[in-house]
Amino acid sequence: MKFSGGVHPAYHKDTAGLQIEAMPLLHRYVVPIAQHLGAPGKVLVAKGDRVARWQPLSEPVGFVSVPVHAPTSGTVKQVAALPHPLGRPMLAVEIESDGEDRPWEGLAPPADWRRLEPAELRRAIQAAGVVGMGGATFPTHVKLSPPAEKKVDLLILNGAECEPYLTADHRVMLEQAAEVMEGLGLMMRVLGVTRACVGIESNKPDALEALRRACPADVAAEFTLLETKYPQGSEKHLIYALSGRRVPPGGLPMDVGCVVQNVGTAVACLEAVRDGLPMTERVATVTGAAINVPHNLRVRVGAPLLDVLAHCGGVTPDVGKVIFGGPMMGIGQFDMDVPLIKGTSGVLCLRDDEAVLFEGGPCIRCGACVDACPMGLVPSAMGLIAERFRFEELGDWHILDCIECGSCAYVCPSRRPLVQHFKRGKAEWRDILEERRAKTDRDAKRAETAATA
Amino acid sequence: MLVPTVVLSGIGLLAGLGLALAARAFAVETDPRQDRITEALPGANCGGCGFAGCGDFAGAVVRGDAKPDGCPVCDQETRRLVASIVGQTVQDRAPQVALILCQGGDDVAAKKYRYNGLASCASAALLGGGDKACSAGCLGLGDCQRVCAFGAVEMTPSGVARIIPARCTACGLCVAACPKDLIKLVPVEATIHVLCSNHDRGPAAKKACTVACLGCKKCEKSFTGDPRIRVADFLAYIDYEHAPDDPALAALCPTGSLVYRGDAAPAAERTT
Amino acid sequence: MELVLLVLSAILVNNFVLSRFLGICPFLGVSKKLSTALGMTAAVMFVMTLASTVCWLVFHGLLRPYGLEYLQTISFILIIAAMVQLVELALQKLSPGLYRSLGIYLPLITTNCAVLGCAVMNIMNESSLLVTAVFSLAAAMGFGLALVLFSGIREVLALADTPRSFRGTAIALVTAGTLSLSFMGFAGLVK
């Protein structure tokens, strides 16, 4: 099934043919404690401590929280607020490598996932710090723990990789097909579902073929080649494309019986259980016109951006913008001291003339954004309202259903910064809702006291 | 002459009678105190109290949802009057004025990226805290100016907000609007201020802005044993309860973040 | 048939606001939001129909028999004022939100020339009671149509980049003029 809206940006998947290359060990890693959505963990190490590879640096605080682990052995140089890809300094552990890459003794023993109970698998996945590797970094064990009243019957493996430039998932599917499919089987066991769908965009038929061939006999998976259209990889659109189910506004995939997992996450889950190894590395695409030697890199989490760029031959002098993630939803970086983290699916280096700053013009009401919006919203009106600070009207336009995919801004002939308006608008509208709720509570309480008095 | 008089007064009488009946049918109970409070309030409907205008605030006071001295704008006398209407008393408060704790304009403060989004500080702050290299600096896009109902905020040519003390009513709206928490209400009489909010270490702060407080403690040391200026976390603080009044103090500051403002508007000149 | 023509004519061809330019005050005053415009329309419909009918009764039952036609204006105003007070009392009780948003414009219906004009027009045309009632209702509906159209335009206009010197009332007046022009197109509808 095809969703309405969406755009066809220039895909630039030039790195699709490059094998994943392991990044050599670096002298220094900066591991932020908060690399997932949810409560940051509690730091377990202090300055001067010796740590081993895969040793936990933090422990989870509550259910929606995962630990982070040391990417290599060495000494903790500092635990402080350091630059973070999300834009403001956050608590991080800086490790000076000792070059030995000595593994931690406390690792969980390898286990066969087919023999373990779902609860044990979930525990192992949380302890390994696995988060969604598509970029949203939601803790995977939480997604794999649907509440009892939500009946999940379908696991969807997301290999769409609809963002331009990125080819990390593509390479993982080609080179680690067996592990991806086994990881899928593992997650199906955790969820207790018998049906799984694998969705891959039509520009990667080789990946689909590789997965199909690698699929073990006991993993019941259906394979679908999807239309190549951005944002095909968005959870809601992938679910619709594969199952025809529509996630209700404000709802989660599990409301329609689905769970969506990225291919990289499947591998991480498998490694966490099969090898007992925590998530300390990921595959990231380093590409763009302003990087000298584009790569698909297996990079340890916490590797400083500058070292990664240097490994790829450095950036050209006309570099204008460095983005973590893809060009549509990625986050522009202004500090080159940031590390790569679990959610960094790519590092995109654009030339100055590609990253040209457009002066946003007035809305000409052409409606191109309305056609492009995959959620069926009216970005033009929402943008105009947000621009005039009339945030209390945004609820009427269902601002919270915006997935910030950037299709509207991509097609806008006036180059309006629509997504920025919506990010602000969503925050403001949530505040307004919060205030209203507080007021209703106050009124209810007053009515109660008045009734008793 | 008699007929027209009778006819007209007859119509009037009938209409009056009808209205009297209607008034009984549609009677709405309103607390007369609410109207009296509304009348006493400034009526600017600025929203500084957190309610939707003066009428709403008056209703909240009558219901007990708001303190009678909750109007930050009105003068002491009005506060006392409002309190007396609901049978309460209020504490006297020293008159205050808003102050922007940053003077890092484009001429002195560095930028870390080029921003071309919506001209609003809160939007810019979403992008890594804004384009100023200083983690605390004023973004200069005027969110405080926009919310001020009294026109008491101006933007300097170099792109920093500045309060016009004579117009400021200390309603606190700008304090809430600033995404960088740069605005503070300080006593009107205070003459010496630390116009910086940067907590970074000296070298980092200096790199970001030439008028940043470096946390060098020169000001603190000049007052040994006196807690009127303290440096904590690489930033100097004024203790406004015992604010010093000494122009020489500002001269000690190597960056000019400690400022003497002898010309601060006296309370009497403030418009309320 | 005659009544249908009368209604059409009052709503479209001889629209009170856009063709006769009566009742401009609330037209500009409460047209910022569609919801308030609808409330105002309802209030005006009530007042106009009732006031015109009562005025007709008073004129033909009281003033004319006694030869007091010269008291027409003052007595009509008296009646309209009473009606408006009635609406105000009712609204305050039944819909406090609307009461607040209409604000000063609610009592100002009293001096709304459309209401008085409607009453006077009925007398001048020597209309029957039925025609008076229907015509007043239709006129009020015409007023409502203009108000709702205008407020809809203004709601969208508020999102437009208006040149600084045109902002606020200026652009509202330009819009009203354009709307009025377009209503003149209906002039050929009824021959």
Side-chain angles (χ1 to χ4, degrees):
Chain A
M1 251 162 277
K2 293 176 180 179
F3 62 89
S4 63
V7 292
H8 296 277
Y11 280 91
H12 291 291
K13 303 263 189 187
D14 311 326
T15 49
L18 300 176
Q19 281 222 323
I20 299 171
E21 187 186 305
M23 176 100 183
L25 198 61
L26 299 172
H27 308 296
R28 171 178 168 261
Y29 290 92
V30 176
V31 187
I33 297 303
Q35 298 188 37
H36 57 271
L37 281 179
K42 200 176 111 211
V43 186
L44 295 173
V45 293
K47 186 178 173 176
D49 284 2
R50 304 263 305 156
V51 292
R53 177 160 198 210
W54 292 308
Q55 181 179 336
L57 300 175
S58 68
E59 62 181 5
V61 178
F63 182 58
V64 189
S65 180
V66 290
V68 295
H69 302 80
T72 186
S73 61
T75 317
V76 175
K77 263 182 75 184
Q78 59 173 331
V79 179
L82 296 170
H84 188 286
L86 287 184
R88 61 201 151 84
M90 284 196 239
L91 193 62
V93 178
E94 184 180 343
I95 295 171
E96 194 172 43
S97 167
D98 58 9
E100 291 169 22
D101 211 18
R102 176 173 42 82
W104 187 45
E105 297 89 3
L107 281 180
D112 182 0
W113 60 267
R114 289 184 172 85
R115 301 227 176 112
L116 290 178
E117 288 304 311
E120 292 172 292
L121 290 171
R122 265 185 216 120
R123 251 196 313 278
I125 290 170
Q126 180 179 18
V130 181
V131 298
M133 293 176 74
T137 63
F138 194 70
T140 301
H141 69 278
V142 181
K143 259 175 142 184
L144 292 176
S145 315
E149 70 272 12
K150 300 264 165 74
K151 274 271 165 278
V152 172
D153 62 349
L154 179 63
L155 175 61
I156 289 176
L157 191 66
N158 187 352
E161 200 164 51
C162 58
E163 274 267 3
Y165 287 99
L166 303 185
T167 55
D169 286 355
H170 189 179
R171 291 313 301 181
V172 168
M173 289 188 280
L174 286 178
E175 297 178 31
Q176 295 181 278
E179 282 166 304
V180 170
M181 292 316 290
E182 239 193 280
L184 176 67
L186 184 155
M187 293 193 291
M188 286 170 77
R189 179 169 172 79
V190 178
L191 284 170
V193 299
T194 52
R195 199 177 148 220
C197 282
V198 182
I200 296 173
E201 273 191 343
S202 60
N203 56 1
K204 297 181 271 287
D206 50 341
L208 186 110
E209 207 39 54
L211 291 188
R212 196 200 296 277
R213 248 182 286 133
C215 185
D218 59 344
V219 176
E222 299 154 27
F223 297 85
T224 311
L225 216 49
L226 302 162
E227 186 191 6
T228 300
K229 180 163 84 169
Y230 180 86
Q232 188 61 265
S234 143
E235 276 193 339
K236 286 170 186 171
H237 298 95
L238 194 64
I239 290 171
Y240 180 68
L242 289 173
S243 70
R245 304 177 192 176
R246 282 193 186 277
V247 179
L252 290 171
M254 51 179 75
D255 292 328
V256 292
C258 294
V259 167
V260 181
Q261 295 285 4
N262 175 267
V263 288
T265 318
V267 177
C269 286
L270 180 70
E271 283 173 352
V273 177
R274 186 188 63 186
D275 312 323
L277 295 183
M279 183 170 171
T280 56
E281 55 182 28
R282 69 157 295 136
V283 179
T285 306
V286 184
T287 184
I291 192 88
N292 281 320
V293 191
H295 270 79
N296 285 310
L297 276 183
R298 184 177 304 283
V299 55
R300 296 200 183 168
V301 168
L305 172 62
L306 279 176
D307 292 318
V308 174
L309 293 179
H311 178 75
C312 297
V315 289
T316 58
D318 58 351
V319 63
K321 195 170 192 178
V322 176
I323 300 169
F324 271 25
M328 299 295 282
M329 290 186 74
I331 303 166
Q333 300 296 320
F334 45 81
D335 191 335
M336 298 304 262
D337 280 334
V338 295
L340 270 68
I341 57 173
K342 289 177 183 176
T344 312
S345 47
V347 178
L348 176 58
C349 306
L350 296 176
R351 283 198 318 260
D352 208 23
D353 58 326
E354 289 177 307
V356 59
L357 290 169
F358 294 102
E359 203 56 52
C363 174
I364 60 170
R365 292 179 166 77
C366 64
C369 52
V370 183
D371 287 338
C373 181
M375 296 305 291
L377 304 176
V378 189
S380 52
M382 299 197 306
L384 286 165
I385 292 169
E387 200 174 24
R388 283 160 181 74
F389 308 104
R390 286 157 46 172
F391 300 113
E392 65 287 344
E393 293 169 36
L394 285 173
D396 296 340
W397 297 88
H398 301 275
I399 182 101
L400 293 184
D401 287 326
C402 169
I403 57 170
E404 300 172 20
C405 68
S407 297
C408 49
Y410 176 78
V411 297
C412 180
S414 271
R415 304 283 170 190
R416 292 169 59 71
L418 291 168
V419 180
Q420 192 204 7
H421 288 333
F422 302 156
K423 283 187 177 184
R424 165 90 188 273
K426 274 168 135 177
E428 300 274 355
W429 174 243
R430 284 205 186 96
D431 285 351
I432 291 168
L433 283 181
E434 191 51 47
E435 237 165 73
R436 284 190 193 162
R437 219 175 348 246
K439 190 169 186 299
T440 341
D441 288 354
R442 260 206 318 273
D443 289 351
K445 203 172 276 172
R446 191 173 45 241
E448 215 171 276
T449 48
T452 49
Chain B
M1 192 62 213
L2 187 67
V3 181
T5 316
V6 169
V7 167
L8 208 55
S9 37
I11 297 173
L13 212 65
L14 268 174
L17 211 67
L19 279 180
L21 287 174
R24 188 163 297 172
F26 295 118
V28 179
E29 265 184 60
T30 46
D31 199 320
R33 293 181 301 175
Q34 182 174 342
D35 294 336
R36 280 172 63 205
I37 295 178
T38 314
E39 236 162 78
L41 290 168
N45 292 323
C46 69
C49 51
F51 293 89
C54 297
D56 203 23
F57 170 70
V61 171
V62 170
R63 285 195 305 273
D65 280 351
K67 290 216 171 95
D69 63 347
C71 174
V73 174
C74 58
D75 54 17
Q76 207 52 52
E77 209 168 309
T78 314
R79 270 189 213 112
R80 250 182 252 128
L81 178 62
V82 170
S84 69
I85 292 174
V86 287
Q88 295 180 24
T89 52
V90 288
Q91 293 272 307
D92 277 8
R93 231 182 0 196
Q96 288 185 311
V97 65
L99 183 69
I100 291 171
L101 302 183
C102 177
Q103 40 184 357
D106 293 341
D107 47 341
V108 291
K111 297 213 167 179
K112 59 189 178 196
Y113 64 83
R114 285 172 289 171
Y115 176 74
N116 73 334
L118 178 62
S120 161
C121 310
S123 293
L126 290 177
L127 295 168
D131 60 350
K132 283 267 163 73
C134 169
S135 57
C138 170
L139 301 178
L141 296 171
D143 278 9
C144 44
Q145 189 179 32
R146 206 166 297 121
V147 296
C148 185
F150 304 94
V153 185
E154 62 176 1
M155 304 305 292
T156 64
S158 63
V160 173
R162 212 182 68 89
I163 302 284
I164 306 166
R167 294 193 189 157
C168 178
T169 57
C171 71
L173 275 186
C174 53
V175 177
C178 180
K180 308 295 281 181
D181 288 331
L182 288 177
I183 312 181
K184 222 171 151 179
L185 295 179
V186 299
V188 167
E189 296 83 39
T191 51
I192 196 146
H193 306 286
V194 180
L195 296 185
C196 182
S197 308
N198 186 309
H199 281 289
D200 293 338
R201 283 159 197 274
K206 195 168 186 178
K207 209 171 133 196
C209 177
T210 58
V211 292
C213 170
L214 309 176
C216 69
K217 302 201 176 182
K218 271 192 183 149
C219 49
E220 185 187 76
K221 279 174 199 151
S222 74
F223 279 98
T224 34
D226 193 324
R228 294 186 293 188
I229 296 186
R230 273 176 309 108
V231 176
D233 214 4
F234 306 101
L235 181 63
Y237 290 94
I238 305 274
D239 180 0
Y240 284 109
E241 295 267 301
H242 319 276
D245 180 20
D246 180 6
L249 205 56
L252 288 173
C253 182
T255 61
S257 58
L258 192 64
V259 174
Y260 183 80
R261 285 232 179 113
D263 57 343
E269 273 180 33
R270 294 195 314 142
T271 46
T272 45
Chain C
M1 192 57 210
E2 195 134 302
L3 283 182
V4 174
L5 265 184
L6 185 71
V7 169
L8 267 184
S9 148
I11 294 180
L12 298 176
V13 185
N14 293 315
N15 186 293
F16 260 51
V17 182
L18 299 171
S19 299
R20 291 183 198 263
F21 310 112
L22 293 170
I24 299 293
C25 163
F27 181 65
L28 291 172
V30 288
S31 56
K32 280 205 179 111
K33 272 171 73 188
L34 193 58
S35 52
T36 348
L38 285 171
M40 189 67 180
T41 304
V44 168
M45 263 161 88
F46 180 80
V47 172
M48 217 174 202
T49 317
L50 218 62
S52 293
T53 317
V54 174
C55 287
W56 189 91
L57 289 175
V58 166
F59 186 83
H60 287 281
L62 215 57
L63 300 187
R64 180 164 282 174
Y66 291 101
L68 298 170
E69 282 94 342
Y70 60 90
L71 280 182
Q72 178 182 311
T73 308
I74 190 167
S75 53
F76 284 11
I77 289 278
L78 197 62
I79 291 162
I80 294 169
M83 290 291 159
V84 172
Q85 281 300 312
L86 185 70
V87 172
E88 197 177 349
L89 283 169
L91 265 188
Q92 195 175 4
K93 172 81 175 178
L94 302 175
S95 173
L98 184 61
Y99 176 76
R100 263 203 301 277
S101 52
L102 287 178
I104 183 73
Y105 292 103
L106 189 55
L108 276 186
I109 300 179
T110 312
T111 54
N112 185 339
C113 46
V115 181
L116 183 64
C118 183
V120 173
M121 239 181 268
N122 282 316
I123 303 301
M124 266 169 32
N125 293 344
E126 298 288 337
S127 313
S128 68
L129 183 57
L130 178 67
V131 170
T132 297
V134 172
F135 176 76
S136 333
L137 188 63
M141 276 156 68
F143 173 83
L145 177 72
L147 196 60
V148 166
L149 283 179
F150 189 52
S151 64
I153 295 174
R154 280 187 87 174
E155 270 191 8
V156 178
L157 209 60
L159 293 176
D161 283 315
T162 319
R164 179 175 282 271
S165 48
F166 274 103
R167 271 179 212 165
T169 316
I171 193 72
L173 286 172
V174 172
T175 316
T178 318
L179 201 58
S180 169
L181 262 179
S182 64
F183 261 71
M184 285 185 181
F186 288 117
L189 193 67
V190 183
K191 275 250 161 74

